[in-house]
Amino acid sequence: MSVRILALVGSLRAGSHNRQLAETAVKHAPAGVEITLYEGLAEVPFYNEDIDVEGSVPEAAARLRATAGQVDGFLLFSPEYNGTMPAVLKNAIDWLSRPYGAGAISGKPVAVVGTAFGQYGGVWAQDDARKAAGVAGASVLEDVKFSIPGSVTRFADTHPSDDNEVVAGLTEVIQQLSQATPAAA
């Protein structure tokens, strides 16, 4: 049985370098690991307890929760927007954190990686994503990190899947994440 990992990308832009990183993770997942790139975060409404009512949860949020409930772990890809994580990623974490204590992210391992234009590769945003996922109940792999600086220039003419350093770094993160899942035990 494969370890199932759900990739959530914090950028909605079609040409996003973080989306390209997620595509690279899917393409280069080691044997025994299946990574699914989640499509549809743009349709998930902002979290609001008034609409998070059993039997009437918005379809896009219910689909996110159902998909997340079927996986063994999460790989979050976060760019840095104004020094923190994008709202779309935070919103996904919020929906997955409910119901409180029993959300789809609760107790599951989470690793956070990403790329950004700045010299640190979005580490502030990635640290914030780790914090939010941990507060949401995930088992965050605090020491599993991979931040790639200078995305605009580094990936101007090269897709991340053609960058050996990126492939090696992502493969290492995926291996550590998969080993932290109950499915690997």
Side-chain angles (χ1 to χ4, degrees):
M1 183 171 147
S2 289
V3 172
R4 297 161 302 170
I5 296 173
L6 186 61
L8 301 176
V9 180
S11 175
L12 300 177
R13 193 171 59 84
S16 160
H17 295 122
N18 280 283
R19 180 175 179 82
Q20 291 176 2
L21 281 179
E23 292 166 352
T24 300
V26 170
K27 180 178 178 181
H28 293 283
V33 179
E34 177 187 336
I35 299 176
T36 301
L37 175 54
Y38 190 80
E39 302 287 353
L41 287 184
E43 288 77 43
V44 178
F46 281 111
Y47 184 79
N48 176 344
E49 273 187 283
D50 291 343
I51 62 172
D52 188 8
V53 177
E54 190 173 336
S56 63
V57 172
E59 189 277 326
R63 187 168 57 85
L64 173 63
R65 284 179 173 165
T67 302
Q70 301 300 311
V71 301
D72 303 304
F74 297 89
L75 183 55
L76 310 182
F77 293 83
S78 185
E80 190 167 272
Y81 291 180
N82 297 316
T84 192
M85 77 174 117
V88 68
L89 187 55
K90 175 64 167 66
N91 190 50
I93 293 168
D94 290 345
W95 277 104
L96 295 176
S97 74
R98 303 299 177 127
Y100 183 75
I105 202 170
S106 185
K108 293 183 180 176
V110 171
V112 182
V113 299
T115 187
F117 179 62
Q119 65 181 340
Y120 301 112
V123 294
W124 289 350
Q126 294 152 29
D127 286 345
D128 286 347
R130 284 183 198 89
K131 177 183 174 185
V135 171
S139 177
V140 177
L141 305 180
E142 294 288 347
D143 295 331
V144 178
K145 299 178 180 181
F146 187 53
S147 301
I148 306 162
S151 61
V152 173
T153 53
R154 182 165 186 161
F155 302 125
D157 298 320
T158 304
H159 191 283
S161 65
D162 297 324
D163 183 318
N164 292 335
E165 181 183 355
V166 169
V167 171
L170 279 177
T171 301
E172 178 62 28
V173 167
I174 295 164
Q175 287 174 337
Q176 291 179 35
L177 176 59
S178 67
Q179 290 169 359
T181 67

